[in-house]
Amino acid sequence: RLVVAASDVYKRQERTRRIFLAHRIEQMTYKEIERLYGLSERQINYQLQTAKEQLRMALKDYAPLLTLWTVLH
């Protein structure tokens, strides 16, 4: 059961990553993502919010350095 649960989490994280990249990097609209993944606008919004929160947590230790770099350049 643990393997199945871990696999499910990985799949959800992968989908979240793909949706984030499609919207932010490939500049796809919600409608395009909706058609591609078969999700509602609300689900897409949730996935994007989840991805942003994961990114924020991953980069939290680098925030002071980024702020300093921004000020100096």
Side-chain angles (χ1 to χ4, degrees), residues 43 55 64 69-70 72:
Q43 290 171 312
L55 204 55
W69 184 81
T70 302
L72 294 176

Side-chain angles (χ1 to χ4, degrees), residues 2-69:
L2 184 59
V3 172
V4 172
S7 175
D8 185 50
V9 168
Y10 174 76
K11 286 177 188 175
R12 279 188 275 145
Q13 290 175 347
E14 177 66 18
R15 182 174 69 174
T16 299
R17 185 184 69 80
R18 287 180 185 213
I19 291 169
F20 180 80
L21 292 174
H23 185 64
R24 293 294 180 137
I25 304 301
E26 298 174 29
Q27 299 182 342
M28 292 176 71
T29 65
Y30 276 42
K31 287 289 183 195
E32 292 169 326
I33 295 169
E34 206 174 299
R35 276 185 254 128
L36 183 63
Y37 290 98
L39 300 172
S40 70
E41 184 175 329
R42 189 174 183 173
Q43 290 171 312
I44 294 166
N45 194 38
Y46 175 79
Q47 293 294 323
L48 291 173
Q49 292 300 326
T50 300
K52 285 187 247 180
E53 182 59 30
Q54 290 171 350
L55 204 55
R56 195 173 7 262
M57 294 302 292
L59 297 175
K60 72 178 180 171
D61 294 334
Y62 298 100
L65 292 174
L66 291 172
T67 303
L68 180 61
W69 184 81

